[in-house]
Amino acid sequence: MTQDNGFLTWTLANEWHAAALAPVKLANGTQVDVWDSGVIVFTPPNPNRCDIILSCAVHGDETAPIELCSELIERLRSGLLTSSSRIMFLIANPAAINVGRRFVEENMNRLFSGAHSAGPGLVNKERERTKKIESYVARFFNEGADALHCDTEQPRERLHYDMHTAIRDSTHEKFAIYPYQNGQPYKTRQLQLLKAMGVPVILLHDGPTTTFSYFSVNEFGANAFTLELGKVRPFGQNDMSRFASVQTMLEGLITDTLEFDQFDSDDVLIYQVLRSINRTKEDFELNFPDNVANFTEFPLGYDLARDGELTYPVEVEGESVVFPNANVALGQRALLTVIAIPTESLDLV
Ligand SMILES: [Zn+2]
C-alpha cells in the first residue's frame, strides 16, 4: 500500500503509535478509538442495537477487502458517512500485509477458538495476533451489551462479516460460508443481507471449525459469515466496481437505511457439504486441472480423486468440488464436495 491510502495504512505501519492514540471525537459526535494496529472502533453518540464487525486480511494478500475497509474508514472519519451502529474494523494480519503474503508462518483461519494456544502454543506472530483479535472481539461485543442497557426482550444484534478473496476462479464469483450454527436455525434476514450484497450463493458448513467467523458464531451468538468476494489481485489492481454492491450494502447497513422486499427462496442458491475427501497416501492425485473453478460440477461416475488404490467417483447428480488442494499434508482435507439443495429444505427463521 502507498502512503496515500490514509489512516488505515498509518495504523498498520505505526503499531506503537496506533496503540497509544487518544480517542478522537468527530464533528457528528462519533468517537473513534484505535485499539491496536488495524483495529479501529467507531462509536456513535446514540448507537442503534446492532454491533457490526467488518474484518479483512485474515489472509494478508487478499487485497480488495482491505481497500474496501480503508474506503469505509475514510468515509466515516471524514463524516461523509455517519454510522448508526457501533462498528469495529479489524485488519487481521498486518505483518502478512506488510510482506504481501497470505501469512507469515501459519494460516490464521485455522487458529481461532483457542487453536492459537494448542499444540506448540503461541510460537509465532499469527498465533499471538489471533489471541489478541479474540480479545478485541470479546471486548467489542461485551461493551455493547454492558454499556448500552441491554434489553433482554430485544437483545443486541451482533453482525460479523469476515471478508476474503479466493486464490482460484469460482463458478460463482462471490459466495458466503454460513458457519455451523450448533443446531440453531438459519436466518432469513441474513440471507436477504447476503443477497443484497451481491452474494447470493451460500455454502453451509456442517461442523465446528477454527475459522474466524465460526468463533464469532460460537462464542458470541453473532450472525457471522466468511465472504469470498472474488479472485485475489495485487494492491491497486482490483477492479473495485466489482465490489460496488458489497460497499453499497455495507454503507446501508452502517447507516441503518436498508429496506427489503419479502424474502423469495429463489433469491439465493444454497449448497451443503456432501463429503470431505482426505489425502491418506503419498500417492494421491486429483483427476482435474489444478486451476479448476470452485463449484465445478462433474458427471456421475467421474473419478474425482485417487488416494493410493482407492478412487472417489461422483456419487450423486450435481456433486461439485470446492477448495481442491492435492498438496496437503497426509491426513488433511484435499477436497470438499458440495451439492445444491432447495432453500425450502432449510430450518429458517
Ligand atoms: Zn482468505
Side-chain angles (χ1 to χ4, degrees):
M1 271 197 284
T2 67
Q3 287 304 310
D4 305 336
N5 284 38
F7 186 68
L8 178 59
T9 314
W10 185 81
T11 87
L12 294 179
N14 295 273
E15 198 158 340
W16 294 104
H17 297 100
L21 197 73
V24 172
K25 202 53 114 331
L26 303 179
N28 61 21
T30 300
Q31 181 167 314
V32 187
D33 293 273
V34 179
W35 288 359
D36 194 349
S37 172
V39 183
I40 302 158
V41 177
F42 291 85
T43 309
N46 296 298
N48 66 8
R49 57 179 203 87
C50 185
D51 296 325
I52 303 169
I53 296 178
L54 299 179
S55 61
C56 63
V58 162
H59 298 131
D61 59 352
E62 297 179 359
T63 50
I66 307 171
E67 292 178 271
L68 184 60
C69 284
S70 183
E71 172 77 14
L72 290 172
I73 290 167
E74 288 305 317
R75 289 171 68 82
L76 285 165
R77 284 184 70 239
S78 65
L80 278 172
L81 205 61
T82 301
S83 184
S84 301
S85 302
R86 297 174 65 246
I87 179 166
M88 175 161 75
F89 290 89
L90 219 159
I91 287 70
N93 196 342
I97 296 173
N98 289 337
V99 294
R101 282 163 46 190
R102 184 171 171 81
F103 49 82
V104 179
E105 294 191 60
E106 210 170 342
N107 180 355
M108 203 180 242
N109 223 13
R110 301 287 179 274
L111 292 176
F112 282 88
S113 297
H116 48 74
S117 297
L122 298 167
V123 291
N124 60 44
K125 279 190 173 174
E126 268 94 12
R127 285 176 172 243
E128 286 173 10
R129 176 74 173 175
T130 306
K131 187 177 182 190
K132 282 188 188 170
I133 288 173
E134 289 188 355
S135 75
Y136 301 140
V137 171
R139 179 178 163 192
F140 179 75
F141 280 144
N142 291 334
E143 279 184 0
D146 294 344
L148 300 160
H149 54 82
C150 187
D151 180 347
T152 47
E153 293 290 304
Q154 222 191 12
R156 297 186 66 72
E157 185 185 1
R158 293 167 170 176
L159 262 179
H160 175 192
Y161 293 118
D162 184 40
M163 297 184 278
H164 291 248
T165 48
I167 304 167
R168 61 180 61 246
D169 285 321
S170 177
T171 302
H172 305 295
E173 187 195 42
K174 295 183 172 65
F175 62 98
I177 294 170
Y178 207 141
Y180 183 56
Q181 296 294 296
N182 300 323
Q184 299 298 308
Y186 299 100
K187 312 258 178 63
T188 305
R189 175 175 157 79
Q190 299 306 320
L191 299 182
Q192 287 179 300
L193 287 170
L194 292 168
K195 165 73 172 29
M197 254 175 162
V199 187
V201 177
I202 292 124
L203 171 59
L204 309 176
H205 255 187
D206 60 348
T209 57
T210 48
T211 61
F212 194 5
S213 58
Y214 178 70
F215 168 75
S216 290
V217 169
N218 188 46
E219 308 241 346
F220 302 99
N223 294 300
F225 300 86
T226 305
L227 302 183
E228 294 287 354
L229 298 177
K231 209 173 168 185
V232 175
R233 304 272 188 279
F235 273 120
Q237 294 179 29
N238 292 297
D239 174 5
M240 294 310 283
S241 67
R242 286 164 50 228
F243 302 92
S245 55
V246 180
Q247 182 169 338
T248 303
M249 180 279 194
L250 289 177
E251 291 189 359
L253 188 70
I254 290 168
T255 55
D256 204 4
T257 52
L258 292 176
E259 283 176 30
F260 294 114
D261 297 332
Q262 186 93 18
F263 179 67
D264 181 340
S265 59
D266 290 337
D267 284 349
V268 291
L269 179 56
I270 310 281
Y271 283 89
Q272 74 177 21
V273 173
L274 260 186
R275 54 183 170 156
S276 177
I277 295 174
N278 290 359
R279 177 187 193 182
T280 69
K281 301 277 183 353
E282 283 299 336
D283 179 23
F284 179 91
E285 63 181 11
L286 294 174
N287 193 20
F288 45 78
D290 284 347
N291 60 355
V292 73
N294 275 326
F295 298 99
T296 297
E297 189 179 320
F298 288 91
L300 215 53
Y302 185 92
D303 280 330
L304 293 170
R306 187 179 57 76
D307 187 32
E309 299 292 295
L310 194 62
T311 59
Y312 287 94
V314 169
E315 290 176 337
V316 187
E317 197 80 54
E319 188 166 10
S320 309
V321 302
V322 288
F323 310 129
N325 182 1
N327 297 316
V328 290
L330 292 187
Q332 301 247 308
R333 185 186 82 201
L335 179 66
L336 207 56
T337 78
V338 299
I339 190 156
I341 58 167
T343 307
E344 292 81 6
S345 67
L346 285 189
D347 181 12
L348 263 178
V349 291

